[in-house]
């Protein structure tokens, strides 16, 4: 097992990528506990910096991320979750959190109404 560098704040970024299409779905942060839970359950777990708590992706929405594989970068300070995404990854209702260009153009697909889910 690779020794992941969680840094001084105990967090590493984790990129969630669709295992089949390669689409980048989201970026979140992971603690050692979140990584352990992810590996134990086979579903993505993160750490919510705003709520300061462990977060099971899809725990409220049902839009889970089944883990196909977890990779670590060359410096062991970033994770890549290769996932099978159920529903949307973004709390705004989009399949991916990366649904806008920097110019503000909408380029992503909305797959659910967040007002009906949250």
């Amino acid at each position: 097992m690779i020794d992941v560098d969680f840094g001084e704040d105990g967090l590493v970024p984790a990129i969630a990528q669709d295992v089949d299409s390669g689409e980048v779905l989201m970026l979140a942060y992971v603690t050692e506990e979140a990584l352990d839970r992810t590996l134990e359950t086979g579903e993505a777990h993160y750490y919510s910096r705003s709520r300061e708590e462990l977060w099971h992706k899809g725990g409220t929405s049902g839009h889970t991320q089944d883990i196909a594989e977890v990779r670590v970068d060359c410096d062991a300070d970033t994770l890549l979750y290769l996932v099978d995404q159920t529903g949307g990854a973004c709390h705004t209702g989009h399949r991916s959190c990366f649904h806008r260009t920097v110019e503000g153009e909408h380029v992503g697909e909305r797959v659910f109404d967040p007002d009906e889910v949250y």
Side-chain angles (χ1 to χ4, degrees), residues 59-78:
T60 301
S61 68
H63 299 169
T64 57
Q65 294 176 340
D66 292 328
I67 298 293
E69 187 174 22
V70 177
R71 296 184 184 177
V72 62
D73 78 333
C74 56
D75 295 322
D77 62 1
T78 303

Side-chain angles (χ1 to χ4, degrees), residues 18-70:
D18 185 281
V19 67
D20 294 322
S21 70
E23 180 182 21
V24 175
L25 300 172
M26 58 180 274
L27 178 132
Y29 290 86
V30 173
T31 59
E32 188 172 358
E33 180 184 9
L35 178 57
D36 288 345
R37 285 275 185 86
T38 296
L39 297 173
E40 289 169 12
T41 66
E43 289 190 347
H45 286 74
Y46 301 100
Y47 182 80
S48 171
R49 296 180 300 164
S50 60
R51 294 187 310 266
E52 297 183 346
E53 64 184 16
L54 190 66
W55 159 41
H56 173 219
K57 178 67 176 158
T60 301
S61 68
H63 299 169
T64 57
Q65 294 176 340
D66 292 328
I67 298 293
E69 187 174 22
V70 177

